Amino acid sequence: MTSFESDYNNGAHPFVLRQLIETNNSNSSSYGSDIWSEQARQKIRKACQTPDADIYFLVGGTQTNATVIDGVLTGYEGVIAVESGHINVHESGAVEAFGHKVITIPAHNGKMTAEDLRAFHNRFYADSSYEHMVIPGIVYITMPTELGTIYNASEIEAIYNLCQEYEIPLYIDGARLGYGLMSEKCDFDLPWLAHHCDVFYIGGTKQGALCGEAVVFPRNNAPRHFFNIIKQHGALMAKSRLAGVQFDALFTDNLYFDLSKHAINKAMQLRQLFSEANIPIKESPTNQQFVTLSHQQMEYLKSKILFETWEPVDETHSLCRFVTSWATTDEDMNLLSEALKQL
Amino acid sequence: MTSFESDYNNGAHPFVLRQLIETNNSNSSSYGSDIWSEQARQKIRKACQTPDADIYFLVGGTQTNATVIDGVLTGYEGVIAVESGHINVHESGAVEAFGHKVITIPAHNGKMTAEDLRAFHNRFYADSSYEHMVIPGIVYITMPTELGTIYNASEIEAIYNLCQEYEIPLYIDGARLGYGLMSEKCDFDLPWLAHHCDVFYIGGTKQGALCGEAVVFPRNNAPRHFFNIIKQHGALMAKSRLAGVQFDALFTDNLYFDLSKHAINKAMQLRQLFSEANIPIKESPTNQQFVTLSHQQMEYLKSKILFETWEPVDETHSLCRFVTSWATTDEDMNLLSEALKQL
Amino acid sequence: MTSFESDYNNGAHPFVLRQLIETNNSNSSSYGSDIWSEQARQKIRKACQTPDADIYFLVGGTQTNATVIDGVLTGYEGVIAVESGHINVHESGAVEAFGHKVITIPAHNGKMTAEDLRAFHNRFYADSSYEHMVIPGIVYITMPTELGTIYNASEIEAIYNLCQEYEIPLYIDGARLGYGLMSEKCDFDLPWLAHHCDVFYIGGTKQGALCGEAVVFPRNNAPRHFFNIIKQHGALMAKSRLAGVQFDALFTDNLYFDLSKHAINKAMQLRQLFSEANIPIKESPTNQQFVTLSHQQMEYLKSKILFETWEPVDETHSLCRFVTSWATTDEDMNLLSEALKQL
Amino acid sequence: MTSFESDYNNGAHPFVLRQLIETNNSNSSSYGSDIWSEQARQKIRKACQTPDADIYFLVGGTQTNATVIDGVLTGYEGVIAVESGHINVHESGAVEAFGHKVITIPAHNGKMTAEDLRAFHNRFYADSSYEHMVIPGIVYITMPTELGTIYNASEIEAIYNLCQEYEIPLYIDGARLGYGLMSEKCDFDLPWLAHHCDVFYIGGTKQGALCGEAVVFPRNNAPRHFFNIIKQHGALMAKSRLAGVQFDALFTDNLYFDLSKHAINKAMQLRQLFSEANIPIKESPTNQQFVTLSHQQMEYLKSKILFETWEPVDETHSLCRFVTSWATTDEDMNLLSEALKQL
């Protein structure tokens, strides 16, 4: 059945797969020292325009968040995130498992605002008992957010300026970074992002790879012994070539951005289809789209197409998520179009 | 200077001190096996009407919360608390340090409601991705709360009934338990409380002891190896007699309740004084009172009396905290009365 | 250059790769619910003769050890391992990161003996202060060991009997399990193993997969919420099909055992070659072989062949490791043979 | 019954108790800012000849070790200790609970040698896979040791020189520091010690206080936010005056050293008594003495005197511990003498 369930319900992008096949018979070093990992690092440094970047390949998003956050923080520090942030909601307490509190501030369509961050900071340090509280040590935002929304350059810049003023690093979770950057509404590119935060990751799993996330410390600013930290988190791949080959492929000939763009195009078509069907759809410029369906509509559509029920809206309606990806086809769109016409 | 700063700015209650003096020359066992600890346990069991209670003496409140919560929870579980709960705000992440998330729900004058707990529970288990979230494993409430408010019996009963239905233990932080129980507004007593939760602690530090909190598992329901857990948390006293002697004294001849009642009487007098001075005072039936003072009033009062500025109200006013205790004297009250008349 | 460096310096076994290619265009569920993971579980259950086994696929060995051990243990418990155990030496403290002590007892050629385990247990519980010590909660052994040695059935049986008597689960780290089971010296098979421990894992990374380890709880005895524990450890794969497809392939038509056998055959040839060259070689019936080379011999061999220097033996000799795998070819063996003849 | 069980089986030294009585009616600040804590800090700085020392008062030894070690270490680092070190054996995994491995090297009568430390260091960094191991971040020794032995100045100096060379701080656990310094065999004093390590603590609990340990960072070198770290560890006393008054008393008029000297004198008398009774006694120049008793001798002595059985020696003998303290009286010694004559 055609599926808009997620952007990780598919295999590898054909070019990624081909590179895995072509390299399969070669021997390699391991634990990150293989040649494809090194090639991938060079290509990512170039794409980010950060020649001195420290780059590490990990396996998945939750692991990456826990490893980076724990690696950057001192034992007693916590991470500031918005309430809807992935680390606060859907990572089973992986950050807390390493001893760090997730300190929450309000979310605005999934986003943090510099105003809230400033207000938190001022309130915190004005409180005479702040030494009895968890000291914030890193700021975490997602781009795009869990709701598919994106930041403007000016919004990130305002947050980053505060981070620099407060001497707290800014970390950007880019599980779907390409889909964010290729959105028509996005007013910045990868090099700009790399120069407006202290660490971020470029998601592979949801963007054409079988697994893998690339952590980038743009200015040779990885924590000391970060290799050891990765190992302690169980995040070190023995056959690091698996991630290396895939990222090498993704950053060859603009593939990462082209496949992201493809998903965005499909998402915009999808918005159009739902609008034509007079179904309410939330504002989202990326590959995750949220529509409000009646339970009757849901029942019919679920007989034709796979998608996720997100949360109840009222007694008779639910918010549902439709996700496009690099793998979404014209046929998928046609089937959706047909189904919507039957509602 | 006379002080209403806190209920831990004093020494030991005279009878507690006398018992420390009288027992000082005796040898004793250690690590909880001394005779005074055992006597204290018997007296507390009697006061709680829980003959099978497991009772342990720890040193301070944050330590007790971290030890009990970590001891009851399985590694991956979290604790449900209201946003203003002490463990969420003022314990420097001690719960998270042992790997557990503090899952927050709204506070109502510092209190949890059964409605919010039920709503959280239903929403949580209705979410198809709840296995990606932190599983709640214990409910934490404070009695009285950080704002001086108390629960009615019916409110605790409603929460406890849900906890039993959900098979999650209920833990009550009683750092100021006596001050809560002796409030005129309190419609239950210690035995009732002991029968409406799974674990609670009876605060000593703020209630006449130099240190010490008594953890009560009312039905012989301490976690396996809880002694070991206490030791692992650095909370095991070698000279356990220090806590034992003090709790033995506090639970002799109703002392714990009498000294609590004293503090409540003084708090009610204090409310009267502020009311007569036309100073807004928050509803609180216990020994912590919160008044709104203009900055001019604050300045004058601070020249006469010690008290704590709690948080800003507006540009020219702040909320201030005045705390009575077993040690508050008539002279303290007179000095406050005089000072208020000069405003 | 031909390489005997490790058994993770290669790509995927051709059949594994082919299955990745063939399944690449299908949609799938995620987080372990894909059809290939389910097929792989069925095949592994059959191979283990454990129809009720709970089976989970994780990414790598260190991650698997930390997740299983933390998942089985209560917060305050520790894991018993031999001093040379992988978790004690080469996992960067991943077990301790989740709060658990690695309690060590002596190693005998990398193996634990039931005698040592019994002696530890008796000494521990005879010590009146054992509640001040870390309570042992799981026993960890590796099969084969880090030194390539293997256990006899009677040795594992003796350890497992003690574990049952002490009510402590036995966990077997099988990062190279196939190479152990296919050794000529091994007197038991996979079903026997599955019935003589409480949890074990079947290594994929070093046995023909690109990544992946299969954790088996043989008797439907996974810890409650183990899915959640995996997620908390950052070990949950979104595209679980990556592991599922690979294990499905490995357990098709006896592949896992055939490729293991291949590696063992090559290892035995390698032993023969070193013996003929009069180079001392340690007793090892599996795919890891340890030889003592003079520094002159090392220098020459390193110009021809990749292998690892393990540890110094004396001023002029070092212990070196040569590892065969499913990927070792006749040509590799010939090149080694030629090189040895030049020494 | 007269007791040589431990040095924490007594109350407070009379002068310490008197100071608690005399200060009892004064109000005070809390959380370490009370005037007695400040006075005690000044006296300790003077006694150590470290005018810039950062000094914190915690409650007990295990807590202090866990807090200091976790406070100094980065998340992934471990602590080097000898196998018999208290943190490795008798603290229920408190160090590991905060995520840090205890890395062990051999003990020589409870002591670490510079040779072993150097050998460990060299072996560790010579190992090409050390990034897969736990990076050592602090060295822990006890003075006196768990076996009552003490270091010479030259031994500590050698260890400290290595620590400086390796840029790893040296931490000295001084739970019984006074008893060590006042030993006739000790060839250094408190100021010397304070200048030959990076952090140490002066034990109070076993040295005349009801509770309390004074952590000294001699050169204003406490970790950033150490107050917060203490709070996170549940080690912050609300009524810090309890520790402050006691340490103020202990460091008045040389009391700490005088009472230590008293215990040493009694210990030397005790050695004499056992020697006269022809009972084998281990070399120990401090207040803990270890004698080998036949089970028959043990039975008789236990009917007269309290002491601890330490560990079995052979079928018919056990090692037993006799501990003197500031509280040991001439009468205690006479009773022991009488009892030994009856053997």
Side-chain angles (χ1 to χ4, degrees):
Chain A
M1 199 183 300
T2 215
S3 170
F4 292 89
E5 268 190 308
S6 73
D7 35 21
Y8 42 87
N9 64 354
N10 41 58
H13 185 280
F15 182 70
V16 171
L17 187 64
R18 198 181 323 146
Q19 292 307 101
L20 283 172
I21 297 164
E22 294 202 353
T23 59
N24 194 60
N25 288 328
S26 306
N27 280 334
S28 66
S29 312
S30 50
Y31 297 121
S33 63
D34 62 282
I35 53 166
W36 304 286
S37 291
E38 193 44 40
Q39 278 174 207
R41 282 188 202 101
Q42 285 302 357
K43 288 178 181 173
I44 292 173
R45 283 187 194 110
K46 199 168 166 197
C48 293
Q49 298 175 16
T50 52
D52 300 325
D54 296 320
I55 299 176
Y56 298 87
F57 300 107
L58 279 69
V59 180
T62 294
Q63 177 186 82
T64 300
N65 287 333
T67 305
V68 169
I69 290 169
D70 180 52
V72 169
L73 292 183
T74 295
Y76 57 84
E77 293 174 330
V79 49
I80 303 177
V82 296
E83 280 166 10
S84 59
H86 206 257
I87 55 167
N88 191 47
V89 182
H90 282 118
E91 302 195 353
S92 291
V95 168
E96 291 88 351
F98 278 83
H100 305 292
K101 189 180 189 70
V102 180
I103 304 163
T104 54
I105 62 177
H108 305 271
N109 287 322
K111 296 196 287 180
M112 183 182 290
T113 66
E115 289 67 34
D116 285 343
L117 180 59
R118 185 197 306 276
F120 166 80
H121 180 88
N122 290 346
R123 204 169 53 241
F124 185 86
Y125 286 103
D127 190 327
S128 61
S129 63
Y130 78 82
E131 283 280 10
H132 295 241
M133 297 158 75
V134 176
I135 310 284
I138 193 170
V139 171
Y140 165 93
I141 63 174
T142 50
M143 167 69 195
T145 72
E146 297 73 13
L147 304 179
T149 54
I150 60 170
Y151 287 86
N152 295 332
S154 64
E155 293 170 329
I156 288 185
E157 197 160 27
I159 291 172
Y160 187 48
N161 286 345
L162 286 183
C163 286
Q164 292 188 298
E165 182 185 336
Y166 304 157
E167 296 181 4
I168 298 181
L170 173 62
Y171 168 45
I172 301 179
D173 176 340
R176 294 182 171 97
L177 187 57
Y179 300 137
L181 292 171
M182 288 298 102
S183 161
E184 292 163 17
K185 296 287 173 59
C186 188
D187 60 356
F188 57 87
D189 59 11
L190 182 59
W192 185 94
L193 185 86
H195 288 81
H196 287 83
C197 67
D198 299 287
V199 49
F200 66 103
Y201 82 85
I202 301 171
T205 306
K206 291 163 180 165
Q207 298 249 171
L210 290 165
C211 67
E213 323 293 328
V215 177
V216 182
F217 294 93
R219 289 170 296 282
N220 185 218
N221 59 325
R224 214 174 154 227
H225 286 304
F226 194 64
F227 181 96
N228 192 273
I229 294 166
I230 293 172
K231 179 75 179 171
Q232 187 195 33
H233 277 257
L236 188 66
M237 301 184 82
K239 286 192 185 175
S240 52
R241 60 194 285 158
L242 172 56
V245 168
Q246 294 186 93
F247 271 97
D248 187 24
L250 286 171
F251 279 83
T252 298
D253 293 338
N254 219 40
L255 175 61
Y256 188 76
F257 302 99
D258 289 346
L259 64 81
S260 299
K261 186 66 191 159
H262 173 90
I264 295 301
N265 290 343
K266 295 300 178 207
M268 295 307 107
Q269 286 176 31
L270 184 147
R271 290 185 66 83
Q272 184 69 21
L273 294 177
F274 278 102
S275 292
E276 286 166 11
N278 286 316
I279 291 171
I281 186 161
K282 289 207 162 201
E283 200 50 51
S284 161
T286 63
N287 73 318
Q288 296 188 83
Q289 297 296 330
F290 298 86
V291 299
T292 300
L293 297 176
S294 71
H295 292 173
Q296 204 181 338
Q297 291 171 325
M298 280 171 63
E299 195 181 352
Y300 177 75
L301 282 181
K302 292 228 163 171
S303 71
K304 301 291 179 188
I305 283 167
L306 295 171
F307 60 91
E308 213 175 308
T309 309
W310 199 249
E311 59 184 30
V313 170
D314 60 30
E315 295 283 299
T316 54
H317 294 78
S318 287
L319 194 67
C320 296
R321 186 180 75 158
F322 288 73
V323 187
T324 63
S325 75
W326 60 272
T328 306
T329 62
D330 286 343
E331 194 192 339
D332 294 329
M333 300 310 297
N334 289 339
L335 286 165
L336 176 62
S337 175
E338 289 307 308
L340 288 176
K341 283 176 185 152
Q342 306 304 320
L343 289 184
Chain B
M1 200 184 299
T2 215
S3 170
F4 291 89
E5 269 190 307
S6 74
D7 35 20
Y8 42 87
N9 63 355
N10 43 57
H13 184 280
F15 181 71
V16 171
L17 187 63
R18 199 182 320 145
Q19 292 307 102
L20 283 173
I21 297 165
E22 293 202 352
T23 59
N24 193 61
N25 289 327
S26 306
N27 281 334
S28 65
S29 312
S30 49
Y31 296 121
S33 63
D34 62 282
I35 53 168
W36 303 286
S37 291
E38 192 45 39
Q39 278 173 208
R41 282 189 202 101
Q42 285 302 357
K43 288 177 182 173
I44 291 173
R45 283 186 193 110
K46 201 168 165 197
C48 293
Q49 298 176 16
T50 53
D52 300 325
D54 296 319
I55 299 175
Y56 297 86
F57 300 108
L58 278 70
V59 180
T62 294
Q63 178 186 80
T64 301
N65 287 334
T67 305
V68 169
I69 290 168
D70 179 53
V72 169
L73 292 183
T74 296
Y76 57 83
E77 293 175 330
V79 49
I80 304 177
V82 295
E83 279 165 11
S84 59
H86 205 259
I87 55 168
N88 191 47
V89 183
H90 282 118
E91 302 195 351
S92 291
V95 168
E96 290 89 352
F98 279 83
H100 305 293
K101 188 178 190 71
V102 180
I103 304 162
T104 54
I105 62 177
H108 306 270
N109 286 321
K111 295 197 289 180
M112 182 182 290
T113 66
E115 289 68 32
D116 285 343
L117 180 59
R118 185 197 306 277
F120 166 79
H121 180 88
N122 290 346
R123 204 169 52 241
F124 185 86
Y125 285 103
D127 190 326
S128 61
S129 62
Y130 78 82
E131 284 279 10
H132 296 242
M133 297 158 74
V134 176
I135 311 283
I138 193 170
V139 171
Y140 165 94
I141 63 175
T142 49
M143 167 67 196
T145 71
E146 296 72 13
L147 304 179
T149 54
I150 60 170
Y151 287 86
N152 295 334
S154 63
E155 293 169 330
I156 288 184
E157 199 161 23
I159 291 171
Y160 187 48
N161 286 345
L162 286 183
C163 286
Q164 292 188 299
E165 183 186 334
Y166 303 157
E167 296 182 3
I168 298 181
L170 174 61
Y171 168 46
I172 301 179
D173 176 339
R176 295 182 170 98
L177 187 58
Y179 300 138
L181 292 171
M182 287 300 102
S183 160
E184 292 164 16
K185 296 286 172 59
C186 187
D187 61 356
F188 58 87
D189 59 11
L190 182 59
W192 185 93
L193 185 86
H195 288 81
H196 287 81
C197 69
D198 298 287
V199 49
F200 66 103
Y201 82 85
I202 302 171
T205 306
K206 291 163 180 166
Q207 297 248 170
L210 289 166
C211 67
E213 323 293 330
V215 177
V216 182
F217 293 92
R219 289 170 295 281
N220 186 218
N221 59 326
R224 211 173 157 229
H225 287 304
F226 195 63
F227 181 96
N228 192 274
I229 294 166
I230 294 172
K231 179 75 180 171
Q232 189 195 31
H233 278 257
L236 187 66
M237 301 184 80
K239 285 192 185 175
S240 53
R241 60 193 288 160
L242 172 56
V245 168
Q246 294 187 96
F247 271 97
D248 187 24
L250 286 172
F251 280 84
T252 297
D253 294 338
N254 221 40
L255 175 60
Y256 188 76
F257 302 99
D258 289 347
L259 64 80
S260 297
K261 185 68 191 158
H262 173 89
I264 296 301
N265 290 344
K266 294 301 178 207
M268 295 305 109
Q269 287 176 30
L270 183 147
R271 289 185 67 82
Q272 184 69 22
L273 293 178
F274 277 102
S275 291
E276 286 167 10
N278 287 316
I279 290 171
I281 185 161
K282 288 208 163 200
E283 200 51 49
S284 162
T286 63
N287 73 318
Q288 295 188 84
Q289 298 295 332
F290 298 85
V291 300
T292 301
L293 298 175
S294 70
H295 291 174
Q296 202 181 343
Q297 291 171 326
M298 279 172 64
E299 193 181 355
Y300 177 75
L301 281 180
K302 291 227 164 173
S303 71
K304 301 291 179 188
I305 283 166
L306 295 170
F307 59 93
E308 212 175 307
T309 309
W310 200 247
E311 59 184 30
V313 171
D314 60 28
E315 294 282 300
T316 55
H317 294 78
S318 287
L319 193 67
C320 296
R321 187 179 74 157
F322 287 74
V323 186
T324 63
S325 76
W326 60 272
T328 306
T329 63
D330 286 344
E331 195 193 338
D332 293 329
M333 300 310 298
N334 289 339
L335 286 165
L336 176 62
S337 175
E338 288 308 309
L340 289 176
K341 282 175 188 156
Q342 305 304 320
L343 289 184
Chain C
M1 202 184 299
T2 215
S3 171
F4 291 90
E5 269 191 308
S6 74
D7 35 21
Y8 42 87
N9 63 355
N10 42 57
H13 184 280
F15 182 70
V16 171
L17 187 65
R18 198 182 322 145
Q19 292 308 101
L20 283 172
I21 297 165
E22 293 202 352
T23 59
N24 193 59
N25 288 328
S26 305
N27 280 334
S28 66
S29 311
S30 49
Y31 297 121
S33 62
D34 62 281
I35 52 166
W36 303 284
S37 291
E38 193 43 40
Q39 278 174 210
R41 280 187 204 101
Q42 286 302 356
K43 289 178 182 173
I44 292 174
R45 282 186 194 110
K46 200 167 166 200
C48 293
Q49 298 176 17
T50 54
D52 301 326
D54 296 319
I55 299 175
Y56 297 88
F57 300 107
L58 278 70
V59 181
T62 294
Q63 178 187 81
T64 300
N65 287 334
T67 305
V68 168
I69 289 169
D70 180 53
V72 169
L73 293 183
T74 296
Y76 57 84
E77 293 175 331
V79 49
I80 304 177
V82 296
E83 278 165 11
S84 59
H86 206 258
I87 55 168
N88 190 48
V89 182
H90 282 119
E91 302 195 352
S92 292
V95 168
E96 291 89 351
F98 278 82
H100 304 293
K101 188 180 190 69
V102 180
I103 304 163
T104 54
I105 62 177
H108 306 270
N109 286 322
K111 295 196 288 180
M112 182 181 291
T113 66
E115 289 67 33
D116 285 343
L117 180 59
R118 186 197 306 277
F120 167 79
H121 180 88
N122 290 347
R123 203 169 53 240
F124 185 86
Y125 285 104
D127 190 326
S128 61
S129 63
Y130 79 81
E131 283 280 11
H132 295 243
M133 296 157 76
V134 176
I135 310 284
I138 192 169
V139 171
Y140 165 94
I141 62 174
T142 50
M143 167 68 196
T145 71
E146 296 75 11
L147 304 180
T149 55
I150 61 169
Y151 286 86
N152 295 333
S154 63
E155 293 170 330
I156 288 186
E157 199 160 27
I159 290 171
Y160 187 47
N161 286 346
L162 287 183
C163 286
Q164 291 187 300
E165 182 186 334
Y166 303 157
E167 297 182 2
I168 298 181
L170 174 61
Y171 168 45
I172 300 178
D173 175 338
R176 296 182 169 98
L177 187 58
Y179 300 137
L181 291 172
M182 287 300 102
S183 160
E184 291 162 17
K185 296 286 173 58
C186 187
D187 60 356
F188 57 86
D189 59 10
L190 182 59
W192 186 92
L193 185 87
H195 288 82
H196 287 82
C197 69
D198 299 287
V199 49
F200 68 102
Y201 82 86
I202 301 171
T205 306
K206 291 164 179 163
Q207 298 248 173
L210 290 166
C211 66
E213 323 292 330
V215 176
V216 182
F217 292 94
R219 289 171 294 282
N220 187 219
N221 59 326
R224 211 172 156 228
H225 286 304
F226 194 65
F227 181 96
N228 193 272
I229 293 166
I230 293 172
K231 179 75 180 171
Q232 187 196 32
H233 278 257
L236 188 65
M237 301 184 81
K239 285 193 185 174
S240 52
R241 60 192 287 157
L242 172 55
V245 168
Q246 294 187 94
F247 272 97
D248 188 23
L250 286 172
F251 279 83
T252 297
D253 293 338
N254 219 40
L255 175 61
Y256 189 75
F257 302 99
D258 290 346
L259 64 80
S260 298
K261 186 66 191 157
H262 173 88
I264 296 301
N265 290 343
K266 294 299 177 209
M268 295 306 108
Q269 288 176 29
L270 184 147
R271 288 185 68 81
Q272 184 69 21
L273 293 178
F274 277 102
S275 293
E276 287 166 10
N278 287 316
I279 291 171
I281 185 160
K282 288 208 163 199
E283 199 50 51
S284 162
T286 64
N287 72 317
Q288 295 188 85
Q289 298 296 331
F290 297 85
V291 300
T292 300
L293 298 176
S294 70
H295 292 173
Q296 204 182 339
Q297 290 172 326
M298 280 171 64
E299 197 181 350
Y300 178 75
L301 282 180
K302 292 226 165 174
S303 71
K304 301 290 179 188
I305 283 166
L306 294 170
F307 60 92
E308 212 174 308
T309 308
W310 200 249
E311 58 184 30
V313 171
D314 60 29
E315 295 283 300
T316 54
H317 293 79
S318 287
L319 194 67
C320 296
R321 187 179 74 158
F322 286 75
V323 187
T324 64
S325 76
W326 61 270
T328 306
T329 62
D330 287 342
E331 194 193 337
D332 293 330
M333 300 311 297
N334 289 338
L335 285 165
L336 176 61
S337 175
E338 288 308 309
L340 288 176
K341 283 175 187 155
Q342 306 305 319
L343 288 184
Chain D
M1 199 184 299
T2 216
S3 169
F4 290 90
E5 269 191 309
S6 74
D7 35 20
Y8 43 86
N9 63 354
N10 42 58
H13 184 282
F15 181 70
V16 171
L17 188 64
R18 198 181 321 144
Q19 293 307 101
L20 283 172
I21 297 166
E22 292 201 354
T23 59
N24 194 61
N25 289 327
S26 307
N27 282 332
S28 65
S29 311
S30 50
Y31 296 120
S33 63
D34 62 282
I35 52 166
W36 303 285
S37 291
E38 193 43 41
Q39 280 174 206
R41 280 187 205 103
Q42 285 302 356
K43 288 178 182 173
I44 291 172
R45 282 186 195 111
K46 201 170 163 195
C48 294
Q49 298 176 16
T50 53
D52 300 325
D54 296 319
I55 299 175
Y56 298 87
F57 300 108
L58 278 71
V59 181
T62 294
Q63 178 186 82
T64 301
N65 286 334
T67 306
V68 169
I69 290 168
D70 180 52
V72 169
L73 292 184
T74 296
Y76 57 84
E77 293 174 330
V79 49
I80 303 177
V82 295
E83 280 165 11
S84 60
H86 206 258
I87 55 168
N88 190 47
V89 182
H90 282 119
E91 302 195 352
S92 291
V95 168
E96 290 89 351
F98 278 84
H100 305 292
K101 188 179 191 70
V102 180
I103 304 162
T104 54
I105 61 176
H108 305 270
N109 288 321
K111 295 196 287 180
M112 181 182 290
T113 65
E115 288 68 32
D116 285 343
L117 180 58
R118 184 197 307 276
F120 166 80
H121 180 87
N122 290 346
R123 204 169 50 240
F124 185 86
Y125 285 103
D127 190 327
S128 61
S129 64
Y130 78 82
E131 283 280 11
H132 295 243
M133 297 159 75
V134 176
I135 310 284
I138 192 170
V139 171
Y140 165 94
I141 63 174
T142 50
M143 167 69 196
T145 71
E146 297 73 13
L147 303 179
T149 54
I150 60 170
Y151 286 86
N152 295 333
S154 63
E155 293 169 331
I156 289 186
E157 199 160 25
I159 291 172
Y160 187 47
N161 285 345
L162 286 183
C163 286
Q164 291 187 300
E165 182 185 335
Y166 303 158
E167 296 182 4
I168 298 181
L170 173 62
Y171 168 44
I172 301 179
D173 175 339
R176 296 182 169 98
L177 186 58
Y179 300 138
L181 291 171
M182 288 299 102
S183 160
E184 291 164 17
K185 297 285 173 59
C186 188
D187 60 356
F188 57 86
D189 59 10
L190 182 58
W192 186 93
L193 185 85
H195 288 81
H196 287 81
C197 68
D198 298 287
V199 48
F200 67 102
Y201 82 86
I202 301 171
T205 305
K206 291 163 179 165
Q207 298 249 170
L210 290 166
C211 67
E213 323 294 329
V215 176
V216 182
F217 292 93
R219 290 171 293 282
N220 185 220
N221 59 326
R224 210 170 158 231
H225 287 304
F226 195 63
F227 181 96
N228 192 272
I229 293 166
I230 294 172
K231 179 76 179 170
Q232 188 195 32
H233 277 257
L236 188 65
M237 302 184 80
K239 285 192 186 175
S240 52
R241 59 191 288 158
L242 172 55
V245 168
Q246 293 186 96
F247 270 97
D248 187 23
L250 286 172
F251 279 83
T252 298
D253 293 339
N254 219 40
L255 176 60
Y256 188 75
F257 302 99
D258 289 347
L259 64 80
S260 298
K261 185 68 191 158
H262 173 90
I264 296 301
N265 291 341
K266 294 301 178 207
M268 296 306 108
Q269 287 176 31
L270 184 145
R271 288 185 67 82
Q272 184 69 21
L273 293 178
F274 277 102
S275 291
E276 287 165 13
N278 287 316
I279 291 171
I281 186 160
K282 288 207 163 200
E283 200 50 49
S284 162
T286 64
N287 73 318
Q288 295 189 84
Q289 298 295 331
F290 297 86
V291 300
T292 300
L293 297 176
S294 70
H295 293 172
Q296 204 181 338
Q297 290 171 325
M298 280 171 62
E299 195 181 352
Y300 177 75
L301 282 181
K302 291 227 163 172
S303 71
K304 301 292 180 187
I305 283 167
L306 295 170
F307 61 91
E308 212 174 307
T309 308
W310 200 248
E311 59 184 30
V313 171
D314 60 30
E315 294 282 300
T316 54
H317 293 79
S318 287
L319 193 69
C320 296
R321 187 179 73 159
F322 287 74
V323 187
T324 63
S325 76
W326 60 271
T328 305
T329 62
D330 287 343
E331 195 193 338
D332 293 330
M333 301 310 298
N334 289 338
L335 285 166
L336 176 62
S337 176
E338 288 307 309
L340 288 176
K341 283 175 187 155
Q342 304 305 317
L343 288 185

